[in-house]
Amino acid sequence: MRGGAEDDPTSRGGSVAAEEAPDGTRLHCLVTGATGYIGGRLVPELLAAGHRVRCLARSPGKLRDHAWAKDIEVVEGNVVDSGSVAEAMRGIDVAYYLVHALGTGSGFEETDREAARIFADRAHAAGVRRIVYLGGLTPRGVPPRELSPHLRSRTEVGQIFLDSPVPATVLRAAVIIGSGSASFEMLRYLTERLPVMVTPRWVRTRIQPIGVRDVLRYLVGSARMPADVDRAFDIGGPEVVTYLEMMRCYAAVAGLPGRLIVPVPVLTPRLSSHWVGLVTPVPHSIARPLTESLRHEVVCHEHDIAEHVPDGPGQPLPFQEALALALRRVRDAQVATRWSSAAVPGAPSDPLPTDPDWAGGSLYRDERELSVDASREALWKVIEGIGGDNGWYSFPLAWAVRGWLDRFVGGVGLRRGRRDAERLRAGDSLDFWRVEEIEPGHLLRLRAEMRLPGLAWLEMYAEDDGQGRTRFRQRALFHPRGLFGHVYWWSVSPFHAVVFGGMARNITRAAVKGPAARTTAAPAGR
């Protein structure tokens, strides 16, 4: 592994695979889940190792703005669509399965099961040499019925691959520590925001966390395993710790005063997931499987992976070092992917309907247009910097209340923030929005992922008005679902002048004032 302080070396041009000795064979790899946290980091690692990469993605546009997008092939499709999986498998040597249906409803286990079987069958039909799957570390001696639904499903998917005719490598990890991972964000916010904590009993559960760069190293190395290797491997870091020790270690690494942590038996994993959802940016739908997985001890029982993917000096990373690297990336605003990179389960995903000649039903609009005494570049800088700590430039209480209401009904709320403080790319999450389209210097289109009785978008344009001035255009669009959707729009319409009108005015003022305006505008969105 190359030296350095980053938990994700791909963003600086390095690679965890760059110094592994190649065997002279350039493999053709299929990656599913490339829009997600691990998949988005694995793709550049495979490229750096000299492999060709194809991605299967439901929304190829989300991959467009990655630095490596021009170096890969993309097949549009879904893992539950046998036809698109078959197309994606053509000519593939190694197929990486990094998706799951968690949070899509009570039937997610059946969806996972069906998708895994399709993937295994199509891989076999296409002559794929190996399937590589990243699953969860399961406690030894615990019957499947006592596992959380999340962990039980991950285990079943791994077994489906091991039972298939295609040799499989199933990597089983517990808590993954890396900038932007859901586990790291949960640990970070719990520790930073609560100097005194009454915590659930699972904080005393023994865990074997692993740094994300070691996960990537094992994933890349798995591509070249001999054909007779067909098994699961436990992967973890060098230490076994409790969650309580993890929080105390984070406080020490982050330079925080010591935390007073009092475990109590009354907070079950289900109840504590709501507690985590209130305190951290990780919503209940994601926090629940994370906390339920901590009911049982998750510790590696072997380290046989090192026989095929040897560990070098200092590998795998000690927990404290993995924490320090992740925290440094966060503070330097250099997070390559986040847990929110993947689509939020249950969130709307429909693209903006063709406009204005859309025949799909009602499409309500709130449109604003202002001239700006600033350059188009200055205006675009403000537009692209909206959200997160920079705020939303209008009526802070309304945004805060809307965020809390969304969290209350199980949505993501406002606290997902931004991956990067200044730059956006297609597919990025932005508080309770997602970047659906971005044309640098001209258009930012956001799609709402809050819980709504319909679909909503917010568009912002920086344009020339043809008379030597800059024009700012803003559109809020809403496609109602049922009667309640119409009622919702008309009930909030009276506030649009304050929320959307104020936003347009404050964005243009910030563009005129320049960078200094951002510090005064930032609190407005929080």
Side-chain angles (χ1 to χ4, degrees):
M1 187 188 303
R2 299 169 69 99
E6 294 83 352
D7 70 323
D8 174 39
T10 61
S11 60
R12 63 179 172 85
S15 166
V16 297
E19 294 184 4
E20 293 181 4
D23 64 0
T25 304
R26 188 185 189 204
L27 300 174
H28 199 179
C29 301
L30 173 67
V31 177
T32 61
T35 59
Y37 178 72
I38 293 293
R41 298 189 181 208
L42 176 62
V43 169
E45 292 295 326
L46 291 170
L47 292 170
H51 303 311
R52 295 167 57 202
V53 176
R54 178 185 296 157
C55 295
L56 175 66
R58 287 181 300 173
S59 304
K62 291 182 180 180
L63 302 177
R64 184 192 65 201
D65 296 331
H66 287 270
W68 38 261
K70 64 183 183 302
D71 299 320
I72 66 169
E73 309 167 63
V74 180
V75 171
E76 183 174 358
N78 195 313
V79 289
V80 294
D81 175 16
S82 180
S84 61
V85 174
E87 181 184 352
M89 289 286 186
R90 285 188 290 108
I92 291 297
D93 298 305
V94 180
Y96 286 88
Y97 192 84
L98 302 173
V99 296
H100 57 83
L102 178 67
T104 56
S106 58
F108 83 89
E109 289 183 83
E110 177 56 37
T111 303
D112 272 339
R113 189 179 302 120
E114 178 189 1
R117 287 172 177 164
I118 289 173
F119 197 80
D121 290 344
R122 294 301 91 201
H124 177 53
V128 171
R129 300 182 193 177
R130 177 165 301 277
I131 293 172
V132 181
Y133 171 61
L134 177 62
L137 188 58
T138 54
R140 179 164 291 185
V142 177
R145 65 180 181 276
E146 294 183 17
L147 297 176
S148 69
H150 159 68
L151 199 52
R152 184 170 59 240
S153 180
R154 301 293 288 270
T155 302
E156 183 182 11
V157 167
Q159 194 59 52
I160 288 172
F161 292 142
L162 292 173
D163 291 341
S164 78
V166 181
T169 300
V170 174
L171 302 180
R172 302 187 298 203
V175 171
I176 296 177
I177 300 298
S179 60
S181 76
S183 296
F184 174 75
E185 292 283 277
M186 191 171 99
L187 174 66
R188 172 189 170 205
Y189 280 91
L190 284 176
T191 309
E192 289 185 352
R193 291 182 173 177
L194 299 176
V196 178
M197 282 179 273
V198 176
T199 57
R201 58 191 173 194
W202 50 255
V203 298
R204 296 197 183 278
T205 300
R206 296 172 75 240
I207 308 161
Q208 194 161 350
I210 183 170
V212 67
R213 64 163 36 188
D214 286 307
V215 174
L216 294 171
R217 181 168 59 87
Y218 292 138
L219 283 168
V220 174
S222 294
R224 296 195 185 279
M225 284 189 177
D228 61 349
V229 176
D230 184 19
R231 56 163 292 186
F233 295 91
D234 294 351
I235 59 172
E239 301 113 329
V240 175
V241 293
T242 65
Y243 205 89
L244 185 149
E245 291 169 335
M246 289 170 63
M247 288 190 287
R248 287 176 173 162
C249 184
Y250 180 91
V253 170
L256 302 172
R259 268 36 191 164
L260 178 59
I261 302 171
V262 182
V264 295
V266 294
L267 283 175
T268 65
R270 177 176 294 186
L271 288 175
S272 60
S273 68
H274 289 284
W275 170 67
V276 170
L278 287 174
V279 176
T280 81
V282 181
H284 163 67
S285 60
I286 295 177
R288 181 171 175 178
L290 291 178
T291 55
E292 285 185 336
S293 297
L294 296 173
R295 286 186 300 179
H296 303 288
E297 180 179 281
V298 276
V299 175
C300 297
H301 294 281
E302 43 84 10
H303 189 56
D304 297 347
I305 186 70
E307 298 175 14
H308 304 284
V309 187
D311 296 324
Q315 297 175 333
L317 282 176
F319 174 67
Q320 184 169 328
E321 186 175 346
L323 273 183
L325 301 184
L327 187 58
R328 189 171 307 166
R329 297 296 287 177
V330 170
R331 289 176 173 173
D332 291 345
Q334 295 179 335
V335 180
T337 60
R338 302 179 66 218
W339 60 270
S340 54
S341 299
V344 174
S349 58
D350 298 37
L352 181 68
T354 301
D355 184 65
D357 299 321
W358 183 50
S362 301
L363 187 64
Y364 292 115
R365 300 171 176 84
D366 181 280
E367 301 185 65
R368 314 276 166 171
E369 184 175 312
L370 293 172
S371 293
V372 189
D373 291 321
S375 68
R376 185 169 163 178
E377 292 74 17
L379 176 59
W380 177 253
K381 187 175 181 65
V382 177
I383 292 173
E384 191 176 11
I386 201 167
D389 290 338
N390 296 331
W392 289 91
Y393 294 91
S394 74
F395 200 3
L397 181 59
W399 285 96
V401 169
R402 188 64 187 85
W404 278 106
L405 287 174
D406 194 53
R407 301 285 287 195
F408 181 75
V409 296
V412 295
L414 275 175
R415 289 181 294 177
R416 288 192 302 185
R418 300 171 53 109
R419 177 189 56 84
D420 185 289
E422 297 183 352
R423 297 286 179 263
L424 292 174
R425 65 190 183 199
D428 272 1
S429 61
L430 180 59
D431 292 326
F432 49 40
W433 305 89
R434 188 171 297 276
V435 180
E436 181 173 274
E437 182 59 77
I438 183 168
E439 298 175 14
H442 174 57
L443 163 67
L444 175 63
R445 178 184 298 139
L446 306 175
R447 187 186 70 245
E449 290 192 332
M450 65 194 85
R451 298 297 175 94
L452 289 170
L455 303 172
W457 297 265
L458 178 62
E459 293 182 331
M460 288 168 276
Y461 296 82
E463 301 174 330
D464 298 323
D465 67 358
Q467 299 177 358
R469 299 184 69 192
T470 302
R471 177 173 57 213
F472 173 68
R473 284 201 300 124
Q474 175 183 293
R475 296 200 312 169
L477 303 106
F478 182 68
H479 169 40
R481 184 186 304 114
L483 177 62
F484 186 56
H486 293 274
V487 172
Y488 171 82
W489 173 264
W490 289 111
S491 67
V492 299
S493 290
F495 302 100
H496 285 176
V498 176
V499 175
F500 293 128
M503 177 186 293
R505 290 190 299 272
N506 290 330
I507 285 175
T508 55
R509 288 171 185 165
V512 172
K513 293 179 181 179
R518 180 167 295 179
T519 57
T520 59
R526 311 305 290 168

